[in-house]
Amino acid sequence: ATARPSPASTPRPPSMSAALCRAHVVAAAAPLTRRRQVASRGKAPALVSAKRTTRSLVMARSALRNPEEVTSKAPTPSAISDTATVVLFDFDGTLGDTETPAMIVAFWELAPYFPEASVAYLSEECMRTYVRDNAGKAFEFMVDVVEEDRKKAGLPSIEEVRAAGAEDPAVLAHVNEQRAKSGLPTLEATRALGKDILTLQKDETVEALATLAVPCPNVPGVLANLESLGYDFSIATTSGKPRVPVSVVACRYEAYFPPEKIHSGESDFEPPRFKPDPSVYLLAAEKTGALPGNSVAVEDSTSGVGSAANARMGLIVGYVGGSHISDENEDGHAGTLMAGSRSDDGRGADIV
C-alpha cells in the first residue's frame, strides 16, 4: 500500500524519503491491515507539509513547557530528525488484546449502579454489547454516563450507594460471581480499601491484565519485522501507568517497549490529556525522534484516530484485529475508523 498523491494545491511533504519510508512501514505492517484504502473518501492526503508539521511540533513543545496548561512527566526529548520515519502504536486493542478483559472489569464494577440493573438485565449479551460499544473510552467517561443516567432517574450517586452498601443484594451476588471469573474479590470486600470507584477500577484493571493481557493477532511478527528493517517505534496511549507497563510485560513486549518508550496521555500530563486530544501523539513523536508528519500512527478506536489526525500524523493505520471487535463487526468498525468523526478536520484512518 502506498500513500495517496497530494493534490496540486497541497505543499510537498517534509521529504520524499520520508514518504517512501511510510510506504515501506505499511508494507512491513501488512499483517495488521485489511488493505482498505480510502481514496474514495475524497479527504485530504495523509502527507503533511513541512510548514504544517513544524507548526504541530512547536505546539507540542509549547504545551509541554506551559505548566498552567499541561505539565509533562516524560523524559527529556531526544534529537528530532527531519527525515526519520517512526511508528507510534496505541496499546489497548492494538498492541495488546487488553480491551476485552479491561472492559469486562469496568462493566462489572459499574453494573450494580446502572439504573435498570437486575440479574436478568445484566446478561452475558448485555456485557458483550457494553464492551463493544465502549471499548477505547476512558472509564471516567463511562462513570459520567452512568451518573447522568442515575440523576435523570432520581437515584443517588454511585459513591453514595457504595458508601451506604445499598446495592441490590441479588444483583450484588450476580456481579460478584462474574467478577470472580477475572480473579477479582467481591465488591463487599473492596469497601474496606476505602477507594473510590475510579481508583478501584484502575487498580483492579492492572491486577487483571497482569495475567490476562495477550498480544493482538500478528503483532509480535510485525514488531520483529519493523525492528529488523531498522524502524524505531513507541507507544502513544491514553491509558495510565502502571496499567500499560504491566500489560507490556504480560505480552512479553519488554524488549520492544522499555519504560522510556511508553507515552501516556493519563500519566505523562498534568492534567491528563485523553484522546482525541493530540498531545500524547505529539509527545510520542518528539520522544521517538521524528516530526509528526513523518510518523505512522496505528489505532483501533475512533478517538485514537482522531488524536492521530489532530496531531497531523503522516499516515494513520486502522486496526480491527482485537477480540473486542467481532468478525461480523469488522467492516462496520473499519468504516467508523475511516469516517474521521473524532478529528477536527474530518480526517480518518488512511488504511485499515
Side-chain angles (χ1 to χ4, degrees), residues 89-126:
F89 290 94
D90 174 54
F91 189 84
D92 295 301
T94 303
L95 288 175
D97 203 355
T98 55
E99 285 285 11
T100 296
M103 282 301 306
I104 289 173
V105 170
F107 177 82
W108 292 116
E109 281 169 345
L110 281 175
Y113 311 107
F114 295 159
E116 59 272 75
S118 68
V119 174
Y121 177 80
L122 299 174
S123 64
E124 182 80 6
E125 181 59 30
C126 176

PDB file of all heavy atoms in Angstrom, residues 89-126:
ATOM      1  N   PHE A  89       2.345   3.333  18.181  1.00  0.00           N
ATOM      2  CA  PHE A  89       1.242   2.412  18.377  1.00  0.00           C
ATOM      3  C   PHE A  89       0.372   2.820  19.560  1.00  0.00           C
ATOM      4  O   PHE A  89       0.897   3.112  20.648  1.00  0.00           O
ATOM      5  CB  PHE A  89       1.761   1.001  18.681  1.00  0.00           C
ATOM      6  CG  PHE A  89       2.427   0.302  17.529  1.00  0.00           C
ATOM      7  CD1 PHE A  89       3.804   0.348  17.356  1.00  0.00           C
ATOM      8  CD2 PHE A  89       1.679  -0.432  16.625  1.00  0.00           C
ATOM      9  CE1 PHE A  89       4.424  -0.318  16.313  1.00  0.00           C
ATOM     10  CE2 PHE A  89       2.287  -1.108  15.578  1.00  0.00           C
ATOM     11  CZ  PHE A  89       3.660  -1.053  15.416  1.00  0.00           C
ATOM     12  N   ASP A  90      -0.931   2.785  19.370  1.00  0.00           N
ATOM     13  CA  ASP A  90      -1.824   2.709  20.515  1.00  0.00           C
ATOM     14  C   ASP A  90      -1.546   1.372  21.202  1.00  0.00           C
ATOM     15  O   ASP A  90      -0.954   0.466  20.591  1.00  0.00           O
ATOM     16  CB  ASP A  90      -3.274   2.781  20.041  1.00  0.00           C
ATOM     17  CG  ASP A  90      -4.267   2.556  21.146  1.00  0.00           C
ATOM     18  OD1 ASP A  90      -4.183   3.258  22.173  1.00  0.00           O
ATOM     19  OD2 ASP A  90      -5.110   1.654  21.003  1.00  0.00           O
ATOM     20  N   PHE A  91      -1.960   1.215  22.463  1.00  0.00           N
ATOM     21  CA  PHE A  91      -1.711  -0.082  23.098  1.00  0.00           C
ATOM     22  C   PHE A  91      -2.961  -0.950  23.190  1.00  0.00           C
ATOM     23  O   PHE A  91      -3.032  -2.022  22.599  1.00  0.00           O
ATOM     24  CB  PHE A  91      -1.095   0.070  24.502  1.00  0.00           C
ATOM     25  CG  PHE A  91      -0.656  -1.268  25.034  1.00  0.00           C
ATOM     26  CD1 PHE A  91       0.576  -1.782  24.692  1.00  0.00           C
ATOM     27  CD2 PHE A  91      -1.502  -2.039  25.825  1.00  0.00           C
ATOM     28  CE1 PHE A  91       0.968  -3.048  25.120  1.00  0.00           C
ATOM     29  CE2 PHE A  91      -1.131  -3.292  26.261  1.00  0.00           C
ATOM     30  CZ  PHE A  91       0.116  -3.800  25.912  1.00  0.00           C
ATOM     31  N   ASP A  92      -3.949  -0.506  23.952  1.00  0.00           N
ATOM     32  CA  ASP A  92      -5.114  -1.357  24.219  1.00  0.00           C
ATOM     33  C   ASP A  92      -5.907  -1.617  22.951  1.00  0.00           C
ATOM     34  O   ASP A  92      -6.401  -0.696  22.309  1.00  0.00           O
ATOM     35  CB  ASP A  92      -6.013  -0.692  25.266  1.00  0.00           C
ATOM     36  CG  ASP A  92      -5.320  -0.582  26.615  1.00  0.00           C
ATOM     37  OD1 ASP A  92      -4.943  -1.623  27.159  1.00  0.00           O
ATOM     38  OD2 ASP A  92      -5.173   0.555  27.107  1.00  0.00           O
ATOM     39  N   GLY A  93      -6.020  -2.877  22.575  1.00  0.00           N
ATOM     40  CA  GLY A  93      -6.759  -3.250  21.389  1.00  0.00           C
ATOM     41  C   GLY A  93      -5.970  -3.125  20.113  1.00  0.00           C
ATOM     42  O   GLY A  93      -6.493  -3.407  19.030  1.00  0.00           O
ATOM     43  N   THR A  94      -4.707  -2.713  20.206  1.00  0.00           N
ATOM     44  CA  THR A  94      -3.852  -2.561  19.030  1.00  0.00           C
ATOM     45  C   THR A  94      -2.597  -3.417  19.185  1.00  0.00           C
ATOM     46  O   THR A  94      -2.369  -4.339  18.411  1.00  0.00           O
ATOM     47  CB  THR A  94      -3.472  -1.084  18.811  1.00  0.00           C
ATOM     48  OG1 THR A  94      -4.666  -0.301  18.683  1.00  0.00           O
ATOM     49  CG2 THR A  94      -2.632  -0.917  17.561  1.00  0.00           C
ATOM     50  N   LEU A  95      -1.783  -3.126  20.187  1.00  0.00           N
ATOM     51  CA  LEU A  95      -0.637  -3.984  20.501  1.00  0.00           C
ATOM     52  C   LEU A  95      -1.062  -5.126  21.420  1.00  0.00           C
ATOM     53  O   LEU A  95      -0.710  -6.288  21.191  1.00  0.00           O
ATOM     54  CB  LEU A  95       0.464  -3.174  21.186  1.00  0.00           C
ATOM     55  CG  LEU A  95       1.263  -2.188  20.338  1.00  0.00           C
ATOM     56  CD1 LEU A  95       2.224  -1.399  21.228  1.00  0.00           C
ATOM     57  CD2 LEU A  95       2.024  -2.900  19.243  1.00  0.00           C
ATOM     58  N   GLY A  96      -1.787  -4.770  22.464  1.00  0.00           N
ATOM     59  CA  GLY A  96      -2.226  -5.768  23.436  1.00  0.00           C
ATOM     60  C   GLY A  96      -3.713  -6.019  23.329  1.00  0.00           C
ATOM     61  O   GLY A  96      -4.504  -5.076  23.190  1.00  0.00           O
ATOM     62  N   ASP A  97      -4.095  -7.300  23.374  1.00  0.00           N
ATOM     63  CA  ASP A  97      -5.513  -7.638  23.332  1.00  0.00           C
ATOM     64  C   ASP A  97      -6.073  -7.497  24.746  1.00  0.00           C
ATOM     65  O   ASP A  97      -6.405  -8.468  25.419  1.00  0.00           O
ATOM     66  CB  ASP A  97      -5.705  -9.060  22.812  1.00  0.00           C
ATOM     67  CG  ASP A  97      -7.096  -9.275  22.233  1.00  0.00           C
ATOM     68  OD1 ASP A  97      -7.919  -8.351  22.338  1.00  0.00           O
ATOM     69  OD2 ASP A  97      -7.345 -10.355  21.681  1.00  0.00           O
ATOM     70  N   THR A  98      -6.147  -6.246  25.168  1.00  0.00           N
ATOM     71  CA  THR A  98      -6.499  -5.910  26.554  1.00  0.00           C
ATOM     72  C   THR A  98      -7.857  -5.248  26.686  1.00  0.00           C
ATOM     73  O   THR A  98      -8.369  -5.116  27.792  1.00  0.00           O
ATOM     74  CB  THR A  98      -5.440  -4.961  27.137  1.00  0.00           C
ATOM     75  OG1 THR A  98      -5.317  -3.822  26.267  1.00  0.00           O
ATOM     76  CG2 THR A  98      -4.085  -5.640  27.254  1.00  0.00           C
ATOM     77  N   GLU A  99      -8.428  -4.791  25.570  1.00  0.00           N
ATOM     78  CA  GLU A  99      -9.696  -4.069  25.656  1.00  0.00           C
ATOM     79  C   GLU A  99     -10.782  -4.942  26.274  1.00  0.00           C
ATOM     80  O   GLU A  99     -11.534  -4.489  27.141  1.00  0.00           O
ATOM     81  CB  GLU A  99     -10.136  -3.595  24.266  1.00  0.00           C
ATOM     82  CG  GLU A  99      -9.362  -2.406  23.736  1.00  0.00           C
ATOM     83  CD  GLU A  99      -9.744  -1.096  24.395  1.00  0.00           C
ATOM     84  OE1 GLU A  99     -10.467  -1.107  25.419  1.00  0.00           O
ATOM     85  OE2 GLU A  99      -9.313  -0.042  23.900  1.00  0.00           O
ATOM     86  N   THR A 100     -10.863  -6.204  25.831  1.00  0.00           N
ATOM     87  CA  THR A 100     -11.931  -7.059  26.337  1.00  0.00           C
ATOM     88  C   THR A 100     -11.801  -7.327  27.826  1.00  0.00           C
ATOM     89  O   THR A 100     -12.747  -7.081  28.588  1.00  0.00           O
ATOM     90  CB  THR A 100     -11.996  -8.376  25.541  1.00  0.00           C
ATOM     91  OG1 THR A 100     -12.345  -8.067  24.184  1.00  0.00           O
ATOM     92  CG2 THR A 100     -13.043  -9.311  26.121  1.00  0.00           C
ATOM     93  N   PRO A 101     -10.642  -7.815  28.333  1.00  0.00           N
ATOM     94  CA  PRO A 101     -10.562  -8.047  29.780  1.00  0.00           C
ATOM     95  C   PRO A 101     -10.699  -6.769  30.601  1.00  0.00           C
ATOM     96  O   PRO A 101     -11.331  -6.777  31.663  1.00  0.00           O
ATOM     97  CB  PRO A 101      -9.183  -8.690  29.973  1.00  0.00           C
ATOM     98  CG  PRO A 101      -8.420  -8.414  28.737  1.00  0.00           C
ATOM     99  CD  PRO A 101      -9.426  -8.304  27.643  1.00  0.00           C
ATOM    100  N   ALA A 102     -10.152  -5.655  30.114  1.00  0.00           N
ATOM    101  CA  ALA A 102     -10.264  -4.398  30.853  1.00  0.00           C
ATOM    102  C   ALA A 102     -11.704  -3.902  30.873  1.00  0.00           C
ATOM    103  O   ALA A 102     -12.193  -3.408  31.900  1.00  0.00           O
ATOM    104  CB  ALA A 102      -9.360  -3.339  30.233  1.00  0.00           C
ATOM    105  N   MET A 103     -12.401  -4.055  29.750  1.00  0.00           N
ATOM    106  CA  MET A 103     -13.784  -3.606  29.694  1.00  0.00           C
ATOM    107  C   MET A 103     -14.698  -4.513  30.515  1.00  0.00           C
ATOM    108  O   MET A 103     -15.702  -4.055  31.073  1.00  0.00           O
ATOM    109  CB  MET A 103     -14.259  -3.556  28.247  1.00  0.00           C
ATOM    110  CG  MET A 103     -13.774  -2.341  27.472  1.00  0.00           C
ATOM    111  SD  MET A 103     -14.297  -0.789  28.212  1.00  0.00           S
ATOM    112  CE  MET A 103     -16.063  -1.048  28.316  1.00  0.00           C
ATOM    113  N   ILE A 104     -14.371  -5.798  30.606  1.00  0.00           N
ATOM    114  CA  ILE A 104     -15.162  -6.701  31.456  1.00  0.00           C
ATOM    115  C   ILE A 104     -15.029  -6.278  32.915  1.00  0.00           C
ATOM    116  O   ILE A 104     -16.014  -6.248  33.667  1.00  0.00           O
ATOM    117  CB  ILE A 104     -14.716  -8.168  31.246  1.00  0.00           C
ATOM    118  CG1 ILE A 104     -15.168  -8.647  29.869  1.00  0.00           C
ATOM    119  CG2 ILE A 104     -15.291  -9.065  32.336  1.00  0.00           C
ATOM    120  CD1 ILE A 104     -14.651 -10.016  29.494  1.00  0.00           C
ATOM    121  N   VAL A 105     -13.817  -5.937  33.337  1.00  0.00           N
ATOM    122  CA  VAL A 105     -13.612  -5.426  34.690  1.00  0.00           C
ATOM    123  C   VAL A 105     -14.451  -4.168  34.903  1.00  0.00           C
ATOM    124  O   VAL A 105     -15.158  -4.025  35.910  1.00  0.00           O
ATOM    125  CB  VAL A 105     -12.124  -5.133  34.953  1.00  0.00           C
ATOM    126  CG1 VAL A 105     -11.940  -4.380  36.270  1.00  0.00           C
ATOM    127  CG2 VAL A 105     -11.313  -6.428  34.978  1.00  0.00           C
ATOM    128  N   ALA A 106     -14.394  -3.232  33.944  1.00  0.00           N
ATOM    129  CA  ALA A 106     -15.138  -1.977  34.061  1.00  0.00           C
ATOM    130  C   ALA A 106     -16.647  -2.231  34.124  1.00  0.00           C
ATOM    131  O   ALA A 106     -17.359  -1.614  34.926  1.00  0.00           O
ATOM    132  CB  ALA A 106     -14.803  -1.066  32.884  1.00  0.00           C
ATOM    133  N   PHE A 107     -17.128  -3.141  33.276  1.00  0.00           N
ATOM    134  CA  PHE A 107     -18.560  -3.410  33.246  1.00  0.00           C
ATOM    135  C   PHE A 107     -19.055  -3.926  34.586  1.00  0.00           C
ATOM    136  O   PHE A 107     -20.061  -3.430  35.117  1.00  0.00           O
ATOM    137  CB  PHE A 107     -18.875  -4.439  32.152  1.00  0.00           C
ATOM    138  CG  PHE A 107     -20.328  -4.835  32.108  1.00  0.00           C
ATOM    139  CD1 PHE A 107     -21.251  -4.036  31.460  1.00  0.00           C
ATOM    140  CD2 PHE A 107     -20.774  -5.998  32.726  1.00  0.00           C
ATOM    141  CE1 PHE A 107     -22.605  -4.383  31.430  1.00  0.00           C
ATOM    142  CE2 PHE A 107     -22.115  -6.358  32.700  1.00  0.00           C
ATOM    143  CZ  PHE A 107     -23.033  -5.546  32.045  1.00  0.00           C
ATOM    144  N   TRP A 108     -18.357  -4.895  35.175  1.00  0.00           N
ATOM    145  CA  TRP A 108     -18.849  -5.495  36.419  1.00  0.00           C
ATOM    146  C   TRP A 108     -18.606  -4.615  37.637  1.00  0.00           C
ATOM    147  O   TRP A 108     -19.130  -4.862  38.707  1.00  0.00           O
ATOM    148  CB  TRP A 108     -18.259  -6.884  36.604  1.00  0.00           C
ATOM    149  CG  TRP A 108     -18.786  -7.856  35.591  1.00  0.00           C
ATOM    150  CD1 TRP A 108     -18.088  -8.502  34.619  1.00  0.00           C
ATOM    151  CD2 TRP A 108     -20.158  -8.268  35.435  1.00  0.00           C
ATOM    152  NE1 TRP A 108     -18.924  -9.285  33.862  1.00  0.00           N
ATOM    153  CE2 TRP A 108     -20.197  -9.166  34.340  1.00  0.00           C
ATOM    154  CE3 TRP A 108     -21.356  -7.967  36.093  1.00  0.00           C
ATOM    155  CZ2 TRP A 108     -21.385  -9.751  33.905  1.00  0.00           C
ATOM    156  CZ3 TRP A 108     -22.533  -8.554  35.658  1.00  0.00           C
ATOM    157  CH2 TRP A 108     -22.547  -9.436  34.586  1.00  0.00           C
ATOM    158  N   GLU A 109     -17.814  -3.539  37.473  1.00  0.00           N
ATOM    159  CA  GLU A 109     -17.708  -2.544  38.535  1.00  0.00           C
ATOM    160  C   GLU A 109     -18.872  -1.556  38.471  1.00  0.00           C
ATOM    161  O   GLU A 109     -19.362  -1.085  39.494  1.00  0.00           O
ATOM    162  CB  GLU A 109     -16.365  -1.813  38.442  1.00  0.00           C
ATOM    163  CG  GLU A 109     -15.216  -2.638  39.013  1.00  0.00           C
ATOM    164  CD  GLU A 109     -13.862  -2.039  38.695  1.00  0.00           C
ATOM    165  OE1 GLU A 109     -13.790  -1.172  37.812  1.00  0.00           O
ATOM    166  OE2 GLU A 109     -12.871  -2.455  39.310  1.00  0.00           O
ATOM    167  N   LEU A 110     -19.302  -1.234  37.248  1.00  0.00           N
ATOM    168  CA  LEU A 110     -20.388  -0.265  37.071  1.00  0.00           C
ATOM    169  C   LEU A 110     -21.769  -0.909  37.090  1.00  0.00           C
ATOM    170  O   LEU A 110     -22.768  -0.240  37.401  1.00  0.00           O
ATOM    171  CB  LEU A 110     -20.209   0.470  35.736  1.00  0.00           C
ATOM    172  CG  LEU A 110     -19.183   1.600  35.693  1.00  0.00           C
ATOM    173  CD1 LEU A 110     -19.049   2.120  34.270  1.00  0.00           C
ATOM    174  CD2 LEU A 110     -19.577   2.734  36.634  1.00  0.00           C
ATOM    175  N   ALA A 111     -21.841  -2.200  36.760  1.00  0.00           N
ATOM    176  CA  ALA A 111     -23.131  -2.869  36.565  1.00  0.00           C
ATOM    177  C   ALA A 111     -24.122  -2.692  37.716  1.00  0.00           C
ATOM    178  O   ALA A 111     -25.318  -2.452  37.471  1.00  0.00           O
ATOM    179  CB  ALA A 111     -22.910  -4.354  36.291  1.00  0.00           C
ATOM    180  N   PRO A 112     -23.700  -2.791  38.991  1.00  0.00           N
ATOM    181  CA  PRO A 112     -24.688  -2.651  40.071  1.00  0.00           C
ATOM    182  C   PRO A 112     -25.343  -1.276  40.131  1.00  0.00           C
ATOM    183  O   PRO A 112     -26.373  -1.106  40.783  1.00  0.00           O
ATOM    184  CB  PRO A 112     -23.864  -2.907  41.342  1.00  0.00           C
ATOM    185  CG  PRO A 112     -22.637  -3.610  40.886  1.00  0.00           C
ATOM    186  CD  PRO A 112     -22.362  -3.085  39.519  1.00  0.00           C
ATOM    187  N   TYR A 113     -24.753  -0.284  39.430  1.00  0.00           N
ATOM    188  CA  TYR A 113     -25.221   1.093  39.549  1.00  0.00           C
ATOM    189  C   TYR A 113     -25.975   1.563  38.303  1.00  0.00           C
ATOM    190  O   TYR A 113     -26.430   2.719  38.267  1.00  0.00           O
ATOM    191  CB  TYR A 113     -24.024   1.999  39.856  1.00  0.00           C
ATOM    192  CG  TYR A 113     -23.206   1.423  40.986  1.00  0.00           C
ATOM    193  CD1 TYR A 113     -21.969   0.832  40.740  1.00  0.00           C
ATOM    194  CD2 TYR A 113     -23.707   1.387  42.289  1.00  0.00           C
ATOM    195  CE1 TYR A 113     -21.240   0.248  41.761  1.00  0.00           C
ATOM    196  CE2 TYR A 113     -22.987   0.797  43.321  1.00  0.00           C
ATOM    197  CZ  TYR A 113     -21.760   0.228  43.047  1.00  0.00           C
ATOM    198  OH  TYR A 113     -21.041  -0.363  44.065  1.00  0.00           O
ATOM    199  N   PHE A 114     -26.117   0.683  37.295  1.00  0.00           N
ATOM    200  CA  PHE A 114     -26.986   1.033  36.176  1.00  0.00           C
ATOM    201  C   PHE A 114     -28.410   1.215  36.722  1.00  0.00           C
ATOM    202  O   PHE A 114     -28.878   0.386  37.510  1.00  0.00           O
ATOM    203  CB  PHE A 114     -27.010  -0.077  35.121  1.00  0.00           C
ATOM    204  CG  PHE A 114     -25.699  -0.313  34.419  1.00  0.00           C
ATOM    205  CD1 PHE A 114     -25.453  -1.524  33.791  1.00  0.00           C
ATOM    206  CD2 PHE A 114     -24.720   0.659  34.357  1.00  0.00           C
ATOM    207  CE1 PHE A 114     -24.260  -1.769  33.134  1.00  0.00           C
ATOM    208  CE2 PHE A 114     -23.513   0.439  33.715  1.00  0.00           C
ATOM    209  CZ  PHE A 114     -23.287  -0.782  33.090  1.00  0.00           C
ATOM    210  N   PRO A 115     -29.103   2.255  36.343  1.00  0.00           N
ATOM    211  CA  PRO A 115     -30.471   2.454  36.859  1.00  0.00           C
ATOM    212  C   PRO A 115     -31.385   1.254  36.614  1.00  0.00           C
ATOM    213  O   PRO A 115     -32.259   0.970  37.434  1.00  0.00           O
ATOM    214  CB  PRO A 115     -30.949   3.690  36.084  1.00  0.00           C
ATOM    215  CG  PRO A 115     -29.700   4.437  35.754  1.00  0.00           C
ATOM    216  CD  PRO A 115     -28.668   3.379  35.485  1.00  0.00           C
ATOM    217  N   GLU A 116     -31.165   0.542  35.524  1.00  0.00           N
ATOM    218  CA  GLU A 116     -32.023  -0.588  35.173  1.00  0.00           C
ATOM    219  C   GLU A 116     -31.456  -1.923  35.631  1.00  0.00           C
ATOM    220  O   GLU A 116     -31.924  -2.987  35.232  1.00  0.00           O
ATOM    221  CB  GLU A 116     -32.244  -0.635  33.658  1.00  0.00           C
ATOM    222  CG  GLU A 116     -30.960  -0.760  32.828  1.00  0.00           C
ATOM    223  CD  GLU A 116     -30.314   0.571  32.487  1.00  0.00           C
ATOM    224  OE1 GLU A 116     -29.696   1.164  33.401  1.00  0.00           O
ATOM    225  OE2 GLU A 116     -30.403   0.993  31.325  1.00  0.00           O
ATOM    226  N   ALA A 117     -30.440  -1.908  36.504  1.00  0.00           N
ATOM    227  CA  ALA A 117     -29.741  -3.134  36.902  1.00  0.00           C
ATOM    228  C   ALA A 117     -30.676  -4.147  37.547  1.00  0.00           C
ATOM    229  O   ALA A 117     -31.450  -3.824  38.454  1.00  0.00           O
ATOM    230  CB  ALA A 117     -28.607  -2.801  37.854  1.00  0.00           C
ATOM    231  N   SER A 118     -30.590  -5.380  37.047  1.00  0.00           N
ATOM    232  CA  SER A 118     -31.260  -6.536  37.639  1.00  0.00           C
ATOM    233  C   SER A 118     -30.487  -7.754  37.178  1.00  0.00           C
ATOM    234  O   SER A 118     -29.678  -7.673  36.235  1.00  0.00           O
ATOM    235  CB  SER A 118     -32.717  -6.639  37.176  1.00  0.00           C
ATOM    236  OG  SER A 118     -32.781  -6.961  35.789  1.00  0.00           O
ATOM    237  N   VAL A 119     -30.703  -8.882  37.813  1.00  0.00           N
ATOM    238  CA  VAL A 119     -30.000 -10.099  37.401  1.00  0.00           C
ATOM    239  C   VAL A 119     -30.333 -10.424  35.947  1.00  0.00           C
ATOM    240  O   VAL A 119     -29.448 -10.794  35.161  1.00  0.00           O
ATOM    241  CB  VAL A 119     -30.356 -11.274  38.332  1.00  0.00           C
ATOM    242  CG1 VAL A 119     -29.750 -12.574  37.816  1.00  0.00           C
ATOM    243  CG2 VAL A 119     -29.880 -10.995  39.757  1.00  0.00           C
ATOM    244  N   ALA A 120     -31.588 -10.292  35.573  1.00  0.00           N
ATOM    245  CA  ALA A 120     -31.991 -10.589  34.195  1.00  0.00           C
ATOM    246  C   ALA A 120     -31.366  -9.606  33.206  1.00  0.00           C
ATOM    247  O   ALA A 120     -30.934  -9.994  32.109  1.00  0.00           O
ATOM    248  CB  ALA A 120     -33.508 -10.566  34.078  1.00  0.00           C
ATOM    249  N   TYR A 121     -31.316  -8.347  33.585  1.00  0.00           N
ATOM    250  CA  TYR A 121     -30.764  -7.327  32.683  1.00  0.00           C
ATOM    251  C   TYR A 121     -29.271  -7.523  32.463  1.00  0.00           C
ATOM    252  O   TYR A 121     -28.771  -7.353  31.340  1.00  0.00           O
ATOM    253  CB  TYR A 121     -31.028  -5.929  33.249  1.00  0.00           C
ATOM    254  CG  TYR A 121     -30.443  -4.809  32.423  1.00  0.00           C
ATOM    255  CD1 TYR A 121     -31.094  -4.370  31.274  1.00  0.00           C
ATOM    256  CD2 TYR A 121     -29.250  -4.198  32.790  1.00  0.00           C
ATOM    257  CE1 TYR A 121     -30.558  -3.348  30.502  1.00  0.00           C
ATOM    258  CE2 TYR A 121     -28.704  -3.178  32.031  1.00  0.00           C
ATOM    259  CZ  TYR A 121     -29.362  -2.757  30.884  1.00  0.00           C
ATOM    260  OH  TYR A 121     -28.822  -1.749  30.124  1.00  0.00           O
ATOM    261  N   LEU A 122     -28.531  -7.868  33.508  1.00  0.00           N
ATOM    262  CA  LEU A 122     -27.080  -7.985  33.433  1.00  0.00           C
ATOM    263  C   LEU A 122     -26.674  -9.353  32.888  1.00  0.00           C
ATOM    264  O   LEU A 122     -25.994 -10.146  33.531  1.00  0.00           O
ATOM    265  CB  LEU A 122     -26.461  -7.742  34.815  1.00  0.00           C
ATOM    266  CG  LEU A 122     -26.731  -6.346  35.401  1.00  0.00           C
ATOM    267  CD1 LEU A 122     -26.198  -6.258  36.817  1.00  0.00           C
ATOM    268  CD2 LEU A 122     -26.128  -5.260  34.513  1.00  0.00           C
ATOM    269  N   SER A 123     -27.047  -9.601  31.661  1.00  0.00           N
ATOM    270  CA  SER A 123     -26.782 -10.874  31.000  1.00  0.00           C
ATOM    271  C   SER A 123     -25.431 -10.848  30.305  1.00  0.00           C
ATOM    272  O   SER A 123     -24.785  -9.801  30.179  1.00  0.00           O
ATOM    273  CB  SER A 123     -27.869 -11.159  29.963  1.00  0.00           C
ATOM    274  OG  SER A 123     -27.832 -10.167  28.946  1.00  0.00           O
ATOM    275  N   GLU A 124     -25.028 -12.003  29.814  1.00  0.00           N
ATOM    276  CA  GLU A 124     -23.792 -12.096  29.044  1.00  0.00           C
ATOM    277  C   GLU A 124     -23.880 -11.216  27.802  1.00  0.00           C
ATOM    278  O   GLU A 124     -22.910 -10.552  27.435  1.00  0.00           O
ATOM    279  CB  GLU A 124     -23.551 -13.551  28.638  1.00  0.00           C
ATOM    280  CG  GLU A 124     -22.258 -13.792  27.868  1.00  0.00           C
ATOM    281  CD  GLU A 124     -21.033 -13.861  28.746  1.00  0.00           C
ATOM    282  OE1 GLU A 124     -21.184 -13.832  29.983  1.00  0.00           O
ATOM    283  OE2 GLU A 124     -19.919 -13.929  28.203  1.00  0.00           O
ATOM    284  N   GLU A 125     -25.019 -11.215  27.158  1.00  0.00           N
ATOM    285  CA  GLU A 125     -25.195 -10.402  25.957  1.00  0.00           C
ATOM    286  C   GLU A 125     -25.122  -8.919  26.284  1.00  0.00           C
ATOM    287  O   GLU A 125     -24.544  -8.121  25.520  1.00  0.00           O
ATOM    288  CB  GLU A 125     -26.535 -10.718  25.294  1.00  0.00           C
ATOM    289  CG  GLU A 125     -26.798  -9.929  24.018  1.00  0.00           C
ATOM    290  CD  GLU A 125     -25.732 -10.157  22.949  1.00  0.00           C
ATOM    291  OE1 GLU A 125     -25.143 -11.254  22.895  1.00  0.00           O
ATOM    292  OE2 GLU A 125     -25.492  -9.216  22.158  1.00  0.00           O
ATOM    293  N   CYS A 126     -25.703  -8.517  27.424  1.00  0.00           N
ATOM    294  CA  CYS A 126     -25.620  -7.121  27.862  1.00  0.00           C
ATOM    295  C   CYS A 126     -24.163  -6.714  28.051  1.00  0.00           C
ATOM    296  O   CYS A 126     -23.735  -5.643  27.615  1.00  0.00           O
ATOM    297  CB  CYS A 126     -26.396  -6.938  29.158  1.00  0.00           C
ATOM    298  SG  CYS A 126     -26.278  -5.283  29.885  1.00  0.00           S
TER     299      CYS A 126
END
